[in-house]
Amino acid sequence: MIRLYASEMSGNAHKVRMALAFLGLEWDEQATDAAARSTDAFLALNPMGQIPVYAEGDFTLRDSQAILAYLAARHRPGDWDGHTPEERGAITVWLSHAANEIFNGPALLRAERLFGWSVDTARAAAVADRILPVVEAHLAGADWLVGNRPTIADLAASPYLALAPDGGIDLEQWPAIGAWTRRIAALPNFPAMPGWPAEGGA
């Protein structure tokens, strides 16, 4: 049985939750709060003390982008992680944006408001101001970030953009991003989370 160490409000954990749900896999979700992440038992799984962590048998893997890459290679090779070198390169660009600009901009603004994180608000807002126009322009001419179907690029980049209003970002100003996150939320088996409901009863 797959175990996912996560928390309900974590966008990074939700990336993996979406992948598992879309793949039709069953998993046991272990609610892992800040106190649990500081225990010796958890640090043995992830010495960084962060969620999500994926565990299956003796195999464990940390970092949401790495877990998505693993799940794609194991269960949806090509379709989710790129059929060509060009697609694989483009997908990697979005994985990098998800871990860097999207996290250090919209995600940190949300964490400050919802969880009281100590954040350099001006810097996070400046990072958000750089990445949001890039994503908006890209999606203005495409339904998905890479190719003609959802890939792990979409799974990696979407949660903290869908949840950007929690950080004071008005998605009405970014209609292509809003439409894209609603397309993802309308996919079969989409797992809703607080701040990102399913669309159309999916």
Side-chain angles (χ1 to χ4, degrees), residues 45-153:
L45 296 172
N46 183 1
M48 299 300 292
Q50 298 169 336
I51 54 172
V53 172
Y54 175 99
E56 187 173 8
D58 294 331
F59 175 70
T60 62
L61 189 62
R62 67 180 191 262
D63 184 84
S64 56
Q65 275 67 242
I67 298 167
L68 290 179
Y70 163 76
L71 290 171
R74 180 169 180 181
H75 297 283
R76 292 278 180 85
D79 191 39
W80 269 16
D81 55 7
H83 290 295
T84 65
E86 290 78 10
E87 282 193 345
R88 289 192 288 274
I91 288 168
T92 302
V93 167
W94 289 107
L95 296 183
S96 178
H97 282 318
N100 291 290
E101 292 86 0
I102 293 171
F103 183 82
N104 289 308
L108 286 186
L109 293 173
R110 173 179 179 263
E112 180 184 44
R113 287 199 176 194
L114 289 190
F115 312 124
W117 285 22
S118 178
V119 170
D120 183 338
T121 307
R123 181 180 182 279
V127 173
D129 287 344
R130 287 202 303 274
I131 190 60
L132 288 168
V134 172
V135 184
E136 178 74 13
H138 184 83
L139 288 168
D143 286 343
W144 308 105
L145 290 177
V146 178
N148 59 359
R149 77 262 179 217
T151 67
I152 58 172

Side-chain angles (χ1 to χ4, degrees), residues 27 36 56 106 142 163 171 182 196 199:
W27 74 95
E56 187 173 8
L163 298 166
L171 285 185
R182 290 191 294 273
W196 195 10
E199 293 283 330

Side-chain angles (χ1 to χ4, degrees), residues 3-7 30-55 60-63:
R3 295 186 309 284
L4 176 64
Y5 296 84
S7 73
Q30 303 285 317
T32 311
D33 61 14
R37 295 196 291 273
S38 66
T39 63
D40 290 342
F42 185 79
L43 291 172
L45 296 172
N46 183 1
M48 299 300 292
Q50 298 169 336
I51 54 172
V53 172
Y54 175 99
T60 62
L61 189 62
R62 67 180 191 262
D63 184 84

Side-chain angles (χ1 to χ4, degrees), residues 157-171:
S158 58
Y160 285 122
L161 294 176
L163 298 166
D166 290 342
I169 294 171
D170 182 4
L171 285 185

